[in-house]
Amino acid sequence: MKSAFLIHRVSAGSGNLSRRFLEALLRKHGYEPRYHCLEEGPVDLRTAQSDLIAIAGGDGTLGKLLPQLRNWGGGEFAILPSGTANNVARSMGILDLDDALHVDAVTSPFNIGQYFCGGKTKLFCESVGIGALASMIKKSSGPDFGQEKLRRGREHLAEMIAEMVPFYLQVETEGGSFDGDFLAVEFLNAGIAGPSLPLSPKATPTRALFDIYSIRAAQRNAFIAWLRSDLNCPAPGIHKSTSYAAFECKNNHDLRVDDQIIVPSGAKRRVEIKFDPLHINTMVPRSKPQKFRSKY
């Protein structure tokens, strides 16, 4: 039997997954687990001498573990999605807890995004965003979880989009530059972002290309209508694929790296977005669902 180091964020999502259940799930798929609860203290992956690292948590849990996963140098890791949105996992076709553990799951490179600004680098797994989604995260509050949290997040986003003053942005990419007046610009490593919004069916951390998704001022009403729909039609917006992007961000623009809001430092900031030269190996289903579905 192979070994697995199980890292568990008990409070992720609804918080109803037990240690016993997760250990039984790993044994069912041929792994003998060693358990660590993140609520009981930080984890040190240098001690993880296992065939697999299994992460039971959501997008925030994965994001916080990225620096250690990057330097682990071991085998593969698998996401056991148990957060609220699970955007990163779902963008790779991992919809259920054991999708990455099945016998037909395959190893794939997981490409880590790099945000660089002012001499500092941050790693990200989902996206870097400027504008409406960043503002929504900045102002979000409340004890809701699950379905209610995502629905409330979308409604808050619709309200912000309705009132938002467009901002000008020029973006450089390896294929040329574009500019305009926008409500939001998202540099997606994962195609599902924010409150479980399927913005781009192409973007996935296994692809090594960002999808730049932008909402122009003229698309305001169409995007609000989409937010209040069942989200089964394509998101209105403009897409551009690239492995590098750069832009100048003013200090009155809300900016996020995954779920972290970046506090301005200076009148303008030059931001560069690219991929980390190192990637890590992850387990994904052999075939990805043909169409994203809203989680709720």
Side-chain angles (χ1 to χ4, degrees):
M1 184 175 282
K2 293 183 178 181
S3 61
F5 187 26
L6 172 59
I7 303 171
H8 186 196
R9 174 71 71 185
V10 177
S11 59
S14 59
N16 61 359
L17 286 179
S18 69
R19 171 180 179 174
R20 178 179 295 182
F21 175 85
L22 292 169
E23 288 180 335
L25 186 70
L26 283 163
R27 291 190 180 103
K28 171 187 171 183
H29 290 283
Y31 293 95
E32 182 58 38
R34 180 165 67 93
Y35 181 84
H36 180 88
C37 172
L38 288 172
E39 278 80 359
E40 295 177 359
V43 67
D44 186 352
L45 293 187
R46 290 175 298 181
T47 65
Q49 297 179 353
S50 303
D51 298 302
L52 179 78
I53 290 179
I55 301 171
D59 299 311
T61 303
L62 178 60
K64 289 177 175 62
L65 291 173
L66 272 184
Q68 287 203 64
L69 285 170
R70 178 188 183 275
N71 297 320
W72 175 39
E76 296 86 23
F77 81 96
I79 302 174
L80 281 54
S82 56
T84 299
N86 303 309
N87 292 332
V88 176
R90 292 176 61 236
S91 76
M92 297 190 295
I94 302 170
L95 306 182
D96 295 318
L97 270 175
D98 59 352
D99 276 353
L101 300 175
H102 281 294
V103 66
D104 63 344
V106 296
T107 302
S108 180
F110 184 102
N111 297 283
I112 304 170
Q114 277 188 347
Y115 161 94
F116 181 81
C117 181
K120 297 181 179 179
T121 300
K122 294 182 181 295
L123 304 180
F124 67 94
C125 53
E126 179 188 295
S127 62
V128 170
I130 179 172
L133 266 78
S135 299
M136 183 210 72
I137 292 172
K138 181 179 179 180
K139 297 177 182 178
S140 63
S141 62
D144 300 328
F145 60 86
Q147 179 176 356
E148 183 57 30
K149 182 175 181 178
L150 297 179
R151 285 178 177 167
R152 186 163 142 172
R154 291 172 190 155
E155 188 54 38
H156 282 177
L157 181 58
E159 292 169 359
M160 287 182 180
I161 289 283
E163 299 175 357
M164 189 171 182
V165 177
F167 59 91
Y168 175 80
L169 194 71
Q170 181 176 19
V171 180
E172 306 166 23
T173 74
E174 58 193 1
S177 63
F178 65 93
D179 66 346
D181 294 322
F182 299 99
L183 301 172
V185 180
E186 290 286 320
F187 302 84
L188 299 165
N189 193 28
I192 307 175
S196 194
L197 300 178
L199 299 177
S200 170
K202 292 181 179 180
T204 171
T206 60
R207 182 173 171 237
L209 281 174
F210 301 116
D211 193 54
I212 305 177
Y213 173 79
S214 58
I215 309 168
R216 292 184 182 266
Q219 296 164 318
R220 184 193 305 267
N221 292 336
F223 189 79
I224 292 173
W226 178 77
L227 275 176
R228 291 172 172 163
S229 72
D230 58 12
L231 307 185
N232 283 328
C233 59
I238 299 170
H239 298 266
K240 183 178 181 65
S241 294
T242 185
S243 61
Y244 171 84
F247 58 91
E248 279 197 350
C249 180
K250 295 183 179 179
N251 61 5
N252 61 338
H253 293 160
D254 286 330
L255 178 68
R256 73 180 182 102
V257 178
D258 284 344
D259 60 357
Q260 180 183 0
I261 298 300
I262 303 299
V263 178
S265 57
K268 284 186 178 181
R269 297 163 285 171
R270 179 173 171 81
V271 174
E272 292 185 86
I273 297 168
K274 55 188 176 182
F275 285 105
D276 191 275
L278 297 179
H279 67 254
I280 47 184
N281 291 322
T282 190
M283 302 299 296
V284 297
R286 185 175 296 276
S287 59
K288 182 178 174 181
Q290 293 300 307
K291 183 178 181 181
F292 287 144
R293 298 186 304 277
S294 169
K295 190 177 180 184
Y296 295 102

